[in-house]
Amino acid sequence: MKTNSGKWFRQAAIVAACVLPLCAQPVWAERIKDLASIQGVRNNQLIGYGIVAGLDNTGDQTTQTPFTTQAIGNMLSQMGVNLTAEQATKLQLKNVAAVMITSTLPAFARPGQQIDVTVSSLGNAKSLRGGTLLLTPLKGADGQVYAMAQGNILVGGVGASSGASKVTVNHLSAGRIAGGATVERAVPTALGQGGFVYFELASTDFGTTQNVVDAINRGMGPGTASAIDGRRVAVRAPENMDARVAFLGRIENLDVKPVAGIAKVIVNPRTGSVVMNQKVTLEACAVAHGSLSVVVDGGQPQLGQGADIQVKQESGSLMNVKAGANLSDVVKALNALGANPLDLLAILQAMKASGALRAELEII
């Protein structure tokens, strides 16, 4: 009597033969829009100085922030309320705060478009929660006004205090207004120069730049793109603007296989953070690392006891660190040292100096 087991195994073998090669060779492709941007198409930063009103006695202490009082006096004078210099200096308004407003004007923004703004306390206000930003002009680097901001501030924190006790959740001195500014002036943006549009890669890499050129020429026709240097690519584009926009839309969605980046270890000594990419390798080496501590006991001078000073140094035996050909091996080798993050920073620097760490060490 025949069974279906043999047939099932043959079918499974055929499926495995077809699927396994695809799994063994993953394609790490990215779109051109994820790797590069169009030259000249950029955001512009805006900034402004304003006043937040409507706070619940959590505003600036005007005696310590004279610029808040001066700003309120100038604003009131523009609205027909004239105060003498003596009256202005005596203002004690705890429900207002001086703030800086920042925003980003996107490319191709037109008058009437709404953009988000971030409001940050400039003085010693305790909280901006519940406040309203008064009409504030936002200027660019050239000093021109490009947007006007106003609206209710959304603060993602909360706080409470009673006597000497205080509880704060998240940050209270900064908030955001969604669509809080209206664009008043557009920034001219040129979409290319003549018959060419230039793409700029996020980082300089000759291999990736050549892959971008090859992908564009395959997808849009030979001779469409050419590399200028290790970061820029010149693309022949249609003269008609409508056709050019559609042309660039197709180019941005072409897939490119980027060249693997250089091996790099990022170290932040302020936080003790260490991050490394998958290209980091490690040569075999020996490491000894011990810590030195000094303990000072003030003693009791009234009883005639002097200070007791002790110096201790923990033993740092020489440990053999095995070579690692991939990231998991490197992590295992470093974990075997049993060092804390701060000690690991010093060890990585010493490994780099000795040539055992095959990676670029960057301290941020």
PDB file of all heavy atoms in Angstrom, residues 210-237:
ATOM      1  N   GLN A 210      27.870  55.608  -6.911  1.00  0.00           N
ATOM      2  CA  GLN A 210      27.861  54.897  -8.189  1.00  0.00           C
ATOM      3  C   GLN A 210      26.647  53.983  -8.316  1.00  0.00           C
ATOM      4  O   GLN A 210      26.062  53.856  -9.392  1.00  0.00           O
ATOM      5  CB  GLN A 210      29.149  54.080  -8.336  1.00  0.00           C
ATOM      6  CG  GLN A 210      29.311  53.420  -9.694  1.00  0.00           C
ATOM      7  CD  GLN A 210      29.309  54.432 -10.836  1.00  0.00           C
ATOM      8  OE1 GLN A 210      30.006  55.447 -10.776  1.00  0.00           O
ATOM      9  NE2 GLN A 210      28.504  54.169 -11.868  1.00  0.00           N
ATOM     10  N   ASN A 211      26.233  53.375  -7.207  1.00  0.00           N
ATOM     11  CA  ASN A 211      25.028  52.537  -7.246  1.00  0.00           C
ATOM     12  C   ASN A 211      23.783  53.357  -7.557  1.00  0.00           C
ATOM     13  O   ASN A 211      22.870  52.891  -8.239  1.00  0.00           O
ATOM     14  CB  ASN A 211      24.866  51.805  -5.918  1.00  0.00           C
ATOM     15  CG  ASN A 211      25.896  50.714  -5.727  1.00  0.00           C
ATOM     16  OD1 ASN A 211      26.622  50.360  -6.654  1.00  0.00           O
ATOM     17  ND2 ASN A 211      25.985  50.180  -4.516  1.00  0.00           N
ATOM     18  N   VAL A 212      23.731  54.593  -7.034  1.00  0.00           N
ATOM     19  CA  VAL A 212      22.605  55.477  -7.334  1.00  0.00           C
ATOM     20  C   VAL A 212      22.587  55.816  -8.819  1.00  0.00           C
ATOM     21  O   VAL A 212      21.529  55.803  -9.475  1.00  0.00           O
ATOM     22  CB  VAL A 212      22.678  56.753  -6.465  1.00  0.00           C
ATOM     23  CG1 VAL A 212      21.658  57.786  -6.948  1.00  0.00           C
ATOM     24  CG2 VAL A 212      22.427  56.420  -5.004  1.00  0.00           C
ATOM     25  N   VAL A 213      23.758  56.124  -9.373  1.00  0.00           N
ATOM     26  CA  VAL A 213      23.845  56.437 -10.806  1.00  0.00           C
ATOM     27  C   VAL A 213      23.391  55.241 -11.642  1.00  0.00           C
ATOM     28  O   VAL A 213      22.604  55.393 -12.594  1.00  0.00           O
ATOM     29  CB  VAL A 213      25.290  56.840 -11.165  1.00  0.00           C
ATOM     30  CG1 VAL A 213      25.439  56.968 -12.682  1.00  0.00           C
ATOM     31  CG2 VAL A 213      25.654  58.149 -10.491  1.00  0.00           C
ATOM     32  N   ASP A 214      23.852  54.060 -11.294  1.00  0.00           N
ATOM     33  CA  ASP A 214      23.471  52.862 -12.047  1.00  0.00           C
ATOM     34  C   ASP A 214      21.975  52.598 -11.959  1.00  0.00           C
ATOM     35  O   ASP A 214      21.336  52.215 -12.955  1.00  0.00           O
ATOM     36  CB  ASP A 214      24.247  51.650 -11.522  1.00  0.00           C
ATOM     37  CG  ASP A 214      25.743  51.771 -11.782  1.00  0.00           C
ATOM     38  OD1 ASP A 214      26.127  52.563 -12.663  1.00  0.00           O
ATOM     39  OD2 ASP A 214      26.519  51.095 -11.073  1.00  0.00           O
ATOM     40  N   ALA A 215      21.387  52.792 -10.766  1.00  0.00           N
ATOM     41  CA  ALA A 215      19.952  52.553 -10.596  1.00  0.00           C
ATOM     42  C   ALA A 215      19.129  53.526 -11.437  1.00  0.00           C
ATOM     43  O   ALA A 215      18.122  53.144 -12.052  1.00  0.00           O
ATOM     44  CB  ALA A 215      19.574  52.664  -9.120  1.00  0.00           C
ATOM     45  N   ILE A 216      19.530  54.792 -11.487  1.00  0.00           N
ATOM     46  CA  ILE A 216      18.791  55.783 -12.276  1.00  0.00           C
ATOM     47  C   ILE A 216      18.911  55.481 -13.767  1.00  0.00           C
ATOM     48  O   ILE A 216      17.929  55.565 -14.523  1.00  0.00           O
ATOM     49  CB  ILE A 216      19.301  57.200 -11.950  1.00  0.00           C
ATOM     50  CG1 ILE A 216      18.984  57.562 -10.489  1.00  0.00           C
ATOM     51  CG2 ILE A 216      18.664  58.222 -12.882  1.00  0.00           C
ATOM     52  CD1 ILE A 216      19.542  58.899 -10.060  1.00  0.00           C
ATOM     53  N   ASN A 217      20.114  55.113 -14.211  1.00  0.00           N
ATOM     54  CA  ASN A 217      20.304  54.820 -15.630  1.00  0.00           C
ATOM     55  C   ASN A 217      19.558  53.558 -16.060  1.00  0.00           C
ATOM     56  O   ASN A 217      19.082  53.461 -17.200  1.00  0.00           O
ATOM     57  CB  ASN A 217      21.796  54.681 -15.938  1.00  0.00           C
ATOM     58  CG  ASN A 217      22.514  56.023 -15.889  1.00  0.00           C
ATOM     59  OD1 ASN A 217      21.909  57.074 -16.120  1.00  0.00           O
ATOM     60  ND2 ASN A 217      23.799  56.007 -15.587  1.00  0.00           N
ATOM     61  N   ARG A 218      19.458  52.586 -15.152  1.00  0.00           N
ATOM     62  CA  ARG A 218      18.673  51.386 -15.477  1.00  0.00           C
ATOM     63  C   ARG A 218      17.185  51.694 -15.541  1.00  0.00           C
ATOM     64  O   ARG A 218      16.473  51.188 -16.405  1.00  0.00           O
ATOM     65  CB  ARG A 218      18.922  50.294 -14.437  1.00  0.00           C
ATOM     66  CG  ARG A 218      20.239  49.556 -14.580  1.00  0.00           C
ATOM     67  CD  ARG A 218      20.225  48.274 -13.753  1.00  0.00           C
ATOM     68  NE  ARG A 218      19.866  48.521 -12.357  1.00  0.00           N
ATOM     69  CZ  ARG A 218      20.749  48.765 -11.398  1.00  0.00           C
ATOM     70  NH1 ARG A 218      22.047  48.791 -11.685  1.00  0.00           N
ATOM     71  NH2 ARG A 218      20.343  48.969 -10.158  1.00  0.00           N
ATOM     72  N   GLY A 219      16.711  52.508 -14.601  1.00  0.00           N
ATOM     73  CA  GLY A 219      15.280  52.763 -14.524  1.00  0.00           C
ATOM     74  C   GLY A 219      14.777  53.835 -15.468  1.00  0.00           C
ATOM     75  O   GLY A 219      13.631  53.772 -15.932  1.00  0.00           O
ATOM     76  N   MET A 220      15.632  54.849 -15.776  1.00  0.00           N
ATOM     77  CA  MET A 220      15.167  55.983 -16.564  1.00  0.00           C
ATOM     78  C   MET A 220      15.857  56.092 -17.919  1.00  0.00           C
ATOM     79  O   MET A 220      15.529  56.980 -18.694  1.00  0.00           O
ATOM     80  CB  MET A 220      15.394  57.288 -15.775  1.00  0.00           C
ATOM     81  CG  MET A 220      14.874  57.251 -14.357  1.00  0.00           C
ATOM     82  SD  MET A 220      13.129  56.809 -14.217  1.00  0.00           S
ATOM     83  CE  MET A 220      12.368  58.203 -15.024  1.00  0.00           C
ATOM     84  N   GLY A 221      16.822  55.224 -18.190  1.00  0.00           N
ATOM     85  CA  GLY A 221      17.491  55.246 -19.486  1.00  0.00           C
ATOM     86  C   GLY A 221      18.966  55.575 -19.350  1.00  0.00           C
ATOM     87  O   GLY A 221      19.353  56.366 -18.493  1.00  0.00           O
ATOM     88  N   PRO A 222      19.803  54.983 -20.194  1.00  0.00           N
ATOM     89  CA  PRO A 222      21.252  55.241 -20.137  1.00  0.00           C
ATOM     90  C   PRO A 222      21.564  56.722 -20.348  1.00  0.00           C
ATOM     91  O   PRO A 222      20.924  57.401 -21.162  1.00  0.00           O
ATOM     92  CB  PRO A 222      21.808  54.381 -21.276  1.00  0.00           C
ATOM     93  CG  PRO A 222      20.757  53.345 -21.534  1.00  0.00           C
ATOM     94  CD  PRO A 222      19.447  54.009 -21.227  1.00  0.00           C
ATOM     95  N   GLY A 223      22.556  57.218 -19.631  1.00  0.00           N
ATOM     96  CA  GLY A 223      22.981  58.600 -19.763  1.00  0.00           C
ATOM     97  C   GLY A 223      22.148  59.596 -18.989  1.00  0.00           C
ATOM     98  O   GLY A 223      22.413  60.803 -19.052  1.00  0.00           O
ATOM     99  N   THR A 224      21.137  59.130 -18.255  1.00  0.00           N
ATOM    100  CA  THR A 224      20.294  60.059 -17.485  1.00  0.00           C
ATOM    101  C   THR A 224      21.049  60.659 -16.317  1.00  0.00           C
ATOM    102  O   THR A 224      20.900  61.850 -16.011  1.00  0.00           O
ATOM    103  CB  THR A 224      19.031  59.337 -16.978  1.00  0.00           C
ATOM    104  OG1 THR A 224      18.326  58.784 -18.074  1.00  0.00           O
ATOM    105  CG2 THR A 224      18.121  60.303 -16.230  1.00  0.00           C
ATOM    106  N   ALA A 225      21.862  59.858 -15.620  1.00  0.00           N
ATOM    107  CA  ALA A 225      22.558  60.321 -14.418  1.00  0.00           C
ATOM    108  C   ALA A 225      24.054  60.141 -14.577  1.00  0.00           C
ATOM    109  O   ALA A 225      24.531  59.232 -15.275  1.00  0.00           O
ATOM    110  CB  ALA A 225      22.058  59.551 -13.199  1.00  0.00           C
ATOM    111  N   SER A 226      24.796  61.015 -13.894  1.00  0.00           N
ATOM    112  CA  SER A 226      26.253  60.921 -13.854  1.00  0.00           C
ATOM    113  C   SER A 226      26.734  61.441 -12.511  1.00  0.00           C
ATOM    114  O   SER A 226      26.149  62.368 -11.942  1.00  0.00           O
ATOM    115  CB  SER A 226      26.890  61.724 -14.992  1.00  0.00           C
ATOM    116  OG  SER A 226      26.527  63.096 -14.902  1.00  0.00           O
ATOM    117  N   ALA A 227      27.806  60.843 -12.006  1.00  0.00           N
ATOM    118  CA  ALA A 227      28.346  61.221 -10.696  1.00  0.00           C
ATOM    119  C   ALA A 227      29.277  62.421 -10.856  1.00  0.00           C
ATOM    120  O   ALA A 227      30.132  62.451 -11.744  1.00  0.00           O
ATOM    121  CB  ALA A 227      29.088  60.045 -10.072  1.00  0.00           C
ATOM    122  N   ILE A 228      29.108  63.404  -9.978  1.00  0.00           N
ATOM    123  CA  ILE A 228      29.991  64.574  -9.966  1.00  0.00           C
ATOM    124  C   ILE A 228      31.149  64.340  -9.015  1.00  0.00           C
ATOM    125  O   ILE A 228      32.302  64.633  -9.317  1.00  0.00           O
ATOM    126  CB  ILE A 228      29.203  65.837  -9.565  1.00  0.00           C
ATOM    127  CG1 ILE A 228      28.104  66.095 -10.600  1.00  0.00           C
ATOM    128  CG2 ILE A 228      30.124  67.039  -9.446  1.00  0.00           C
ATOM    129  CD1 ILE A 228      27.226  67.279 -10.267  1.00  0.00           C
ATOM    130  N   ASP A 229      30.858  63.810  -7.826  1.00  0.00           N
ATOM    131  CA  ASP A 229      31.869  63.460  -6.845  1.00  0.00           C
ATOM    132  C   ASP A 229      31.309  62.346  -5.973  1.00  0.00           C
ATOM    133  O   ASP A 229      30.365  61.656  -6.373  1.00  0.00           O
ATOM    134  CB  ASP A 229      32.301  64.688  -6.010  1.00  0.00           C
ATOM    135  CG  ASP A 229      31.122  65.462  -5.444  1.00  0.00           C
ATOM    136  OD1 ASP A 229      30.108  64.814  -5.070  1.00  0.00           O
ATOM    137  OD2 ASP A 229      31.187  66.697  -5.355  1.00  0.00           O
ATOM    138  N   GLY A 230      31.869  62.179  -4.783  1.00  0.00           N
ATOM    139  CA  GLY A 230      31.421  61.102  -3.910  1.00  0.00           C
ATOM    140  C   GLY A 230      30.113  61.365  -3.211  1.00  0.00           C
ATOM    141  O   GLY A 230      29.667  60.533  -2.401  1.00  0.00           O
ATOM    142  N   ARG A 231      29.468  62.488  -3.527  1.00  0.00           N
ATOM    143  CA  ARG A 231      28.225  62.812  -2.821  1.00  0.00           C
ATOM    144  C   ARG A 231      27.129  63.329  -3.747  1.00  0.00           C
ATOM    145  O   ARG A 231      25.952  63.245  -3.416  1.00  0.00           O
ATOM    146  CB  ARG A 231      28.521  63.843  -1.738  1.00  0.00           C
ATOM    147  CG  ARG A 231      27.403  64.044  -0.744  1.00  0.00           C
ATOM    148  CD  ARG A 231      27.885  64.779   0.469  1.00  0.00           C
ATOM    149  NE  ARG A 231      26.911  64.782   1.547  1.00  0.00           N
ATOM    150  CZ  ARG A 231      27.188  65.087   2.803  1.00  0.00           C
ATOM    151  NH1 ARG A 231      28.417  65.409   3.141  1.00  0.00           N
ATOM    152  NH2 ARG A 231      26.250  65.072   3.718  1.00  0.00           N
ATOM    153  N   ARG A 232      27.480  63.875  -4.899  1.00  0.00           N
ATOM    154  CA  ARG A 232      26.486  64.508  -5.765  1.00  0.00           C
ATOM    155  C   ARG A 232      26.308  63.741  -7.061  1.00  0.00           C
ATOM    156  O   ARG A 232      27.269  63.227  -7.636  1.00  0.00           O
ATOM    157  CB  ARG A 232      26.875  65.960  -6.061  1.00  0.00           C
ATOM    158  CG  ARG A 232      26.766  66.884  -4.853  1.00  0.00           C
ATOM    159  CD  ARG A 232      26.996  68.309  -5.291  1.00  0.00           C
ATOM    160  NE  ARG A 232      28.324  68.479  -5.892  1.00  0.00           N
ATOM    161  CZ  ARG A 232      28.674  69.532  -6.642  1.00  0.00           C
ATOM    162  NH1 ARG A 232      27.775  70.474  -6.902  1.00  0.00           N
ATOM    163  NH2 ARG A 232      29.892  69.625  -7.134  1.00  0.00           N
ATOM    164  N   VAL A 233      25.059  63.730  -7.526  1.00  0.00           N
ATOM    165  CA  VAL A 233      24.698  63.065  -8.781  1.00  0.00           C
ATOM    166  C   VAL A 233      23.896  64.052  -9.620  1.00  0.00           C
ATOM    167  O   VAL A 233      22.912  64.634  -9.140  1.00  0.00           O
ATOM    168  CB  VAL A 233      23.873  61.790  -8.522  1.00  0.00           C
ATOM    169  CG1 VAL A 233      23.402  61.182  -9.835  1.00  0.00           C
ATOM    170  CG2 VAL A 233      24.686  60.782  -7.718  1.00  0.00           C
ATOM    171  N   ALA A 234      24.323  64.259 -10.867  1.00  0.00           N
ATOM    172  CA  ALA A 234      23.604  65.130 -11.800  1.00  0.00           C
ATOM    173  C   ALA A 234      22.647  64.292 -12.636  1.00  0.00           C
ATOM    174  O   ALA A 234      23.040  63.260 -13.192  1.00  0.00           O
ATOM    175  CB  ALA A 234      24.590  65.878 -12.689  1.00  0.00           C
ATOM    176  N   VAL A 235      21.392  64.731 -12.721  1.00  0.00           N
ATOM    177  CA  VAL A 235      20.359  63.987 -13.450  1.00  0.00           C
ATOM    178  C   VAL A 235      19.744  64.902 -14.505  1.00  0.00           C
ATOM    179  O   VAL A 235      19.321  66.029 -14.197  1.00  0.00           O
ATOM    180  CB  VAL A 235      19.266  63.482 -12.481  1.00  0.00           C
ATOM    181  CG1 VAL A 235      18.185  62.741 -13.248  1.00  0.00           C
ATOM    182  CG2 VAL A 235      19.871  62.590 -11.408  1.00  0.00           C
ATOM    183  N   ARG A 236      19.710  64.437 -15.747  1.00  0.00           N
ATOM    184  CA  ARG A 236      19.029  65.185 -16.809  1.00  0.00           C
ATOM    185  C   ARG A 236      17.522  65.075 -16.602  1.00  0.00           C
ATOM    186  O   ARG A 236      16.982  63.981 -16.526  1.00  0.00           O
ATOM    187  CB  ARG A 236      19.405  64.631 -18.181  1.00  0.00           C
ATOM    188  CG  ARG A 236      20.884  64.771 -18.529  1.00  0.00           C
ATOM    189  CD  ARG A 236      21.179  64.225 -19.908  1.00  0.00           C
ATOM    190  NE  ARG A 236      22.588  64.322 -20.217  1.00  0.00           N
ATOM    191  CZ  ARG A 236      23.166  65.400 -20.763  1.00  0.00           C
ATOM    192  NH1 ARG A 236      22.411  66.449 -21.068  1.00  0.00           N
ATOM    193  NH2 ARG A 236      24.458  65.412 -21.016  1.00  0.00           N
ATOM    194  N   ALA A 237      16.862  66.218 -16.523  1.00  0.00           N
ATOM    195  CA  ALA A 237      15.430  66.238 -16.227  1.00  0.00           C
ATOM    196  C   ALA A 237      14.677  66.986 -17.320  1.00  0.00           C
ATOM    197  O   ALA A 237      15.237  67.859 -17.998  1.00  0.00           O
ATOM    198  CB  ALA A 237      15.179  66.898 -14.865  1.00  0.00           C
TER     199      ALA A 237
END
